[in-house]
Amino acid sequence: MADAAVSVPSTSGARHQLSVLARFGIVWVTLALFVVLAITTDGFLTAPNLRNVLDQQATLLIAASVATLTMIAGGFDVSIAAVAVVAPLVALRVENATGSVVVALIAGCAFGLAVGLANGSIVAFARINSFITTLAMSFIVFGLGYIVSERSILRPVSENFRDIARTRVLSLTTATWISLAVVAVAWVSLAGTRFGRHVYATGGNAEAARLAGVRTRRIVVSVFALSGLAAGLAGVVAASRTISATPSDDFSFVFGVIAAIVVGGTSIAGGTGAVWRTLLGALFIAFMVNGFNLHQVDPIWQRVIQGVVILVAVAADAWSRSRRS
């Protein structure tokens, strides 16, 4: 009897430790990677390099932090890439016509918001799968991009357009500050408001949430609208950095966004996750790629390793959910 009495707390303690490791795993691996690179890689732990990493991740963080809410609510938005490509084309058309950078920024964001509202309304009211809906919307939006741009590269007529992303404040670019502000707003909205609790409830069990009084359709429309808005802002910031926008049908941006969210530990099944996890997931991938570049690792092997990391992250999520069930 004594042996049995002792074994229970031991098992409970082990489970608690595993729970802590699973919950904060992204924190430990990101810190470990940072320390390893700082010790082994010349030039990594320098202010210019770290500022450059933050600046390069700015547009991804803008889109990924808000897309985290969509995934937690049980949605999957692949139209982010299309919006990020076409919103700056719309913005630059407006800027070319009006000469106003502010109006151009509003136009780009408004375009993203409109696409997001359309996505959310279709998913919520027509009950079409979010992946199919946003994939179809991507092709529509990409087509609109070619129409808006007339198949040509667009450039601003005002020198002030570059200031959206490239002005430095306290040694950081405005692109970095914008991304940090968006992360903060998304983080607080999800973790500290009724809206955030309803997002978790909708993704965890939409029917139970509806019966409990949560307006799940409104939540779905809201998170997709916010995702489109953030993608539009990210696209305009990216165009400000490069001082141009090009029509294309490139889906690569959304893959980076999904990778950051998934590696951070947000469940693709919905109901669990956090914006801080996405932030660390993005930083983990950014540090890894930065380390690869500083060590001059072949880009082909970089892709292979990143793919393995994403698979491991998804497998860890599946294992964690199976342990809880």
Side-chain angles (χ1 to χ4, degrees):
M1 292 295 293
D3 290 341
V6 171
S7 65
V8 173
S10 176
T11 303
S12 177
R15 287 179 177 175
H16 176 69
Q17 290 175 351
L18 285 173
S19 176
V20 171
L21 286 174
R23 183 178 180 186
F24 297 105
I26 186 61
V27 177
W28 315 135
V29 296
T30 303
L31 285 175
L33 178 62
F34 184 88
V35 171
V36 169
L37 289 175
I39 294 173
T40 64
T41 308
D42 293 336
F44 175 77
L45 195 59
T46 62
N49 182 62
L50 295 179
R51 285 197 298 265
N52 186 52
V53 169
L54 286 174
D55 184 58
Q56 290 177 344
Q57 293 300 302
T59 53
L60 186 145
L61 280 175
I62 291 170
S65 60
V66 181
T68 301
L69 277 67
T70 307
M71 191 172 290
I72 291 173
F76 209 83
D77 188 356
V78 297
S79 68
I80 290 171
V83 172
V85 167
V86 179
L89 294 172
V90 173
L92 285 174
R93 275 298 183 199
V94 172
E95 189 270 349
N96 288 177
T98 66
S100 173
V101 174
V102 173
V103 174
L105 177 60
I106 293 173
C109 292
F111 176 82
L113 178 63
V115 174
L117 282 170
N119 283 331
S121 298
I122 294 170
V123 172
F125 296 100
R127 298 188 180 280
I128 300 176
N129 177 274
S130 61
F131 178 82
I132 300 301
T133 296
T134 57
L135 180 63
M137 186 63 72
S138 295
F139 290 109
I140 295 171
V141 173
F142 279 136
L144 290 175
Y146 286 105
I147 295 171
V148 168
S149 66
E150 297 179 348
R151 299 177 180 269
S152 61
I153 298 174
L154 299 183
R155 293 183 174 83
V157 295
S158 171
E159 291 292 326
N160 295 331
F161 189 81
R162 70 179 65 194
D163 295 339
I164 295 174
R166 300 175 69 175
T167 303
R168 288 196 175 271
V169 180
L170 299 178
S171 299
L172 298 178
T173 63
T174 42
T176 300
W177 285 114
I178 291 171
S179 70
L180 294 177
V182 172
V183 168
V185 171
W187 189 341
V188 171
S189 297
L190 182 63
T193 67
R194 177 183 295 181
F195 170 73
R197 292 192 294 273
H198 288 180
V199 168
Y200 280 111
T202 300
N205 189 323
E207 182 60 19
R210 186 186 66 80
L211 294 174
V214 176
R215 296 182 177 180
T216 53
R217 288 182 175 178
R218 180 177 294 182
I219 293 297
V220 170
V221 173
S222 297
V223 294
F224 275 99
L226 291 172
S227 179
L229 174 62
L233 175 60
V236 175
V237 169
S240 173
R241 180 187 288 141
T242 59
I243 324 176
S244 65
T246 307
S248 74
D249 51 3
D250 183 8
F251 279 92
S252 60
F253 182 66
V254 74
F255 296 149
V257 168
I258 293 172
I261 296 172
V262 171
V263 170
T266 292
S267 174
I268 58 175
T272 60
V275 174
W276 66 264
R277 288 182 171 279
T278 297
L279 172 62
L280 290 178
L283 290 177
F284 175 81
I285 295 173
F287 290 154
M288 183 171 62
V289 172
N290 186 243
F292 286 153
N293 292 334
L294 291 174
H295 283 286
Q296 298 182 337
V297 175
D298 190 319
I300 295 175
W301 283 108
Q302 291 188 32
R303 291 179 177 272
V304 171
I305 295 171
Q306 288 180 60
V308 170
V309 168
I310 294 171
L311 283 175
V312 169
V314 175
D317 171 59
W319 176 82
S320 178
R321 283 189 284 111
S322 68
R323 295 279 294 182
R324 290 194 297 267
S325 61

